[in-house]
């Protein structure tokens, strides 16, 4: 029997280059500026008087736009709180990862870049705003309902990426289950974070959520 020798250890792979995003054109920059003004006005009013007391008319006045402009950018007040701008960025980042990289490694890399916290959005979110937004997700029923609808849209985007990475049909049962399990896990991490006074590190909670999705529940009590 021929003796087997260990293969030489390959050198560590160079880190993947960050995704290059073209600078938005003038029209897109104006849209981003308007959306940011509307969000800033909304969160300022919510801090002052609460979510239910804040109206579209008040938001428009403070953002110095018309109420119709607010509704053109955000069809409902809940949409101002629950923007899904990070979902397309998440998809773009996942598509940019090496095709042979383990799926869980790709996810961890992307989430550690700040995608889940809005840090890579066109208008990066302040930590205070992230805390307020997640608190509203817990406390306001209308926001929770809208959040469920947004989860479905994000799941459909992830189905496309998972299908590309695995060679499966994006609308296949297993792909849909995998996508929505991921979306649900990330949502629960955000809700748990808010329910516990934002005391935990959200990045660590996301890592734990990925561990559960990858390994299931460990036997016995934690």
């Amino acid at each position: 029997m021929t003796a087997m020798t260990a293969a030489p250890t390959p050198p560590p792979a160079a880190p993947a280059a960050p995704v290059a995003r073209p600078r938005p054109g003038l029209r897109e920059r104006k849209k981003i500026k308007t959306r940011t003004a509307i969000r800033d006005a909304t969160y300022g009013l919510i801090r002052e008087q609460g979510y239910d007391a804040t109206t579209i008319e008040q938001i428009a006045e403070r953002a110095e736009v018309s109420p119709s402009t607010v509704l053109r950018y955000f069809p409902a007040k809940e949409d101002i709180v629950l923007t899904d701008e990070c979902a397309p960025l998440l998809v773009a980042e996942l598509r940019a990862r090496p095709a042979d990289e383990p799926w869980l490694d790709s996810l961890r890399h992307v989430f550690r870049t700040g995608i889940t916290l809005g840090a890579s959005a066109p208008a990066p979110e302040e930590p205070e705003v992230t805390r307020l937004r997640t608190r509203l997700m817990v406390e306001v029923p209308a926001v929770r309902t809208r959040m469920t609808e947004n989860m479905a849209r994000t799941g459909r985007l992830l189905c496309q990426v998972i299908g590309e990475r695995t060679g499966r049909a994006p609308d296949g049962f297993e792909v849909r289950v995998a996508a929505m399990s991921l979306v649900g896990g990330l949502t629960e991490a955000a809700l748990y974070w808010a329910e516990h006074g934002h005391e935990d590190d959200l990045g660590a909670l996301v890592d734990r959520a990925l561990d559960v999705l990858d390994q299931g529940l460990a036997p016995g009590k934690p």
Side-chain angles (χ1 to χ4, degrees):
M1 182 173 180
T2 305
M4 299 181 63
T5 58
T9 303
V19 180
R21 301 191 186 98
R23 175 178 171 79
L26 177 60
R27 183 177 180 182
E28 184 62 26
R29 293 201 301 272
K30 287 182 177 179
K31 288 182 179 180
I32 291 171
K33 183 177 180 180
T34 300
R35 292 173 72 88
T36 301
I38 292 170
R39 281 208 194 90
D40 290 346
T42 303
Y43 284 119
L45 287 164
I46 290 173
R47 290 190 193 96
E48 295 168 14
Q49 60 189 29
Y51 181 85
D52 291 333
T54 298
T55 66
I56 294 296
E57 289 73 21
Q58 291 173 333
I59 294 168
E61 181 178 2
R62 181 166 294 193
E64 299 183 343
V65 298
S66 67
S68 61
T69 297
V70 175
L71 294 174
R72 186 168 68 249
Y73 279 84
F74 301 97
K77 186 171 66 173
E78 292 77 25
D79 292 318
I80 306 176
V81 176
L82 293 173
T83 178
D84 61 355
E85 287 179 352
C86 289
L89 292 170
L90 168 63
V91 169
E93 293 281 356
L94 286 172
R95 281 178 169 148
R97 299 305 300 165
D100 58 348
E101 182 177 58
W103 176 241
L104 188 64
D105 291 348
S106 295
L107 290 171
R108 290 191 191 281
H109 170 83
V110 170
F111 295 138
R112 285 168 181 165
T113 66
I115 286 289
T116 53
L117 307 184
S120 296
E125 191 170 84
E126 295 293 332
E128 181 184 355
V129 172
T130 304
R131 288 191 289 271
L132 175 59
R133 178 165 54 82
T134 53
R135 181 168 61 79
L136 294 174
M137 289 163 58
V138 171
E139 297 177 355
V140 180
V143 174
R144 288 288 292 269
T145 299
R146 198 68 165 182
M147 177 183 68
T148 302
E149 298 172 2
N150 286 354
M151 287 170 61
R153 288 195 291 270
T154 301
R156 286 194 293 271
L157 288 174
L158 283 172
C159 281
Q160 296 294 326
V161 181
I162 295 173
E164 293 166 7
R165 289 286 293 264
T166 63
R168 296 172 179 264
D171 61 348
F173 175 72
E174 286 79 8
V175 171
R176 291 169 60 177
V177 169
M180 291 311 299
S181 296
L182 175 59
V183 173
L186 296 176
T187 300
E188 287 303 319
L191 292 175
Y192 182 95
W193 186 53
E195 289 167 357
H196 291 78
H198 302 108
E199 294 178 356
D200 296 279
D201 177 77
L202 181 54
L205 290 176
V206 169
D207 261 343
R208 288 172 60 186
L210 293 177
D211 285 341
V212 173
L213 293 175
D214 181 48
Q215 304 167 13
L217 291 175
K221 296 182 179 181

